[in-house]
């Protein structure tokens, strides 16, 4: 009818939300109830209290823990990470990787023993030992290796007694008694 008409709009604008997170984890990371084991960008969509879209973005880096095993055979002792081991066994050393994750090293160690053997022998005139003939008293050493490749030292304490050869010239009348 040609009269003025006034319209009033009462407007509330609620904003959508976007949140981004950057996370570095070892092996796995749980986010919004999901376990992630690989690096990547992950999105979680939900709504705000006002009913608008809410987007969460996770920039995830997964660094792996390390488990390394070594087998070693040594004679008498073996030094590993500053510790000297003298018995066979499995030993563990735990440290961290450059990325701060756990690094476990397991050493499977076999210790073979060196051998030291002494023998005391008394012989007349000469004594043969390991292919050599000895005619003088003394201490002699023979070094070889065990079946496991470790050192074997044999020490011979040798006493040589000399045989005696005596000649006598006797002139006698009638009978002569000897021995």
């Amino acid at each position: 009818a040609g009269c003025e008409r006034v319209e009033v709009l009462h407007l509330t604008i609620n904003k959508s939300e976007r949140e981004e997170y950057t996370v570095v984890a070892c092996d796995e990371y749980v986010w919004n109830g999901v376990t992630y084991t690989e690096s990547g960008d992950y999105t979680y969509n939900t709504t705000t209290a006002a009913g608008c879209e809410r987007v969460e973005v996770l920039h995830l880096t997964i660094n792996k823990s390390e488990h390394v095993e070594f087998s070693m055979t040594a004679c008498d002792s073996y030094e590993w990470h500053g510790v000297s081991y003298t018995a066979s066994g499995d030993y563990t050393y735990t440290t961290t990787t450059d990325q701060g994750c756990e690094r476990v090293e397991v050493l499977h160690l076999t210790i073979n023993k060196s051998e030291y053997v002494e023998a005391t022998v008394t012989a007349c005139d000469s004594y043969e030992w390991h292919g050599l003939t000895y005619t003088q008293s003394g201490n002699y050493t023979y070094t070889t290796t065990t079946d496991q490749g470790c050192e074997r030292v044999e020490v011979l304490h040798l006493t040589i007694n000399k045989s005696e050869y005596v000649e006598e010239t006797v002139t006698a009348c009638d009978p002569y008694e000897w021995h």
Side-chain angles (χ1 to χ4, degrees):
C3 297
E4 180 180 41
R5 176 179 169 85
V6 176
E7 294 182 15
V8 177
L9 173 64
H10 301 284
L11 178 62
T12 300
I13 298 291
N14 292 313
K15 300 291 184 184
S16 295
E17 295 178 6
R18 180 178 175 90
E19 291 286 333
E20 296 198 30
Y21 308 95
T22 299
V23 174
V24 177
C26 294
D27 300 321
E28 65 180 30
Y29 183 71
V30 178
W31 185 58
N32 291 316
V34 178
T35 300
Y36 297 90
T37 58
E38 298 295 330
S39 298
D41 294 329
Y42 300 97
T43 302
Y44 179 74
N45 294 310
T46 185
T47 55
T48 66
C52 296
E53 182 181 46
R54 176 178 170 81
V55 177
E56 295 180 21
V57 178
L58 172 64
H59 304 289
L60 179 61
T61 300
I62 294 290
N63 294 316
K64 299 296 184 182
S65 295
E66 295 178 5
H67 183 89
V68 183
E69 297 196 30
F70 305 92
S71 292
M72 186 62 61
T73 300
C75 295
D76 301 320
S77 67
Y78 183 72
E79 187 167 319
W80 188 53
H81 294 294
V83 178
S84 183
Y85 297 90
T86 58
S88 297
D90 295 331
Y91 300 96
T92 302
Y93 179 77
T94 303
T95 184
T96 56
T97 66
D98 292 341
Q99 294 80 28
C101 297
E102 184 178 60
R103 176 180 169 88
V104 177
E105 298 178 18
V106 178
L107 171 65
H108 304 290
L109 180 61
T110 301
I111 293 291
N112 294 316
K113 298 296 183 182
S114 295
E115 296 178 4
Y116 182 83
V117 181
E118 291 188 73
T120 300
V121 173
T122 300
C124 294
D125 299 323
S126 68
Y127 183 74
E128 187 172 317
W129 187 56
H130 293 294
L132 295 176
T133 300
Y134 296 89
T135 59
Q136 298 294 321
S137 297
N139 296 317
Y140 300 98
T141 301
Y142 179 78
T143 303
T144 184
T145 56
T146 66
D147 292 341
Q148 294 79 29
C150 296
E151 184 178 59
R152 177 180 168 87
V153 177
E154 297 179 31
V155 177
L156 173 64
H157 304 288
L158 179 61
T159 301
I160 295 290
N161 293 319
K162 299 297 182 182
S163 295
E164 296 179 3
Y165 181 79
V166 179
E167 288 189 53
E168 293 181 30
T169 302
V170 174
T171 303
C173 293
D174 300 323
Y176 178 74
E177 187 175 312
W178 187 58
H179 296 291

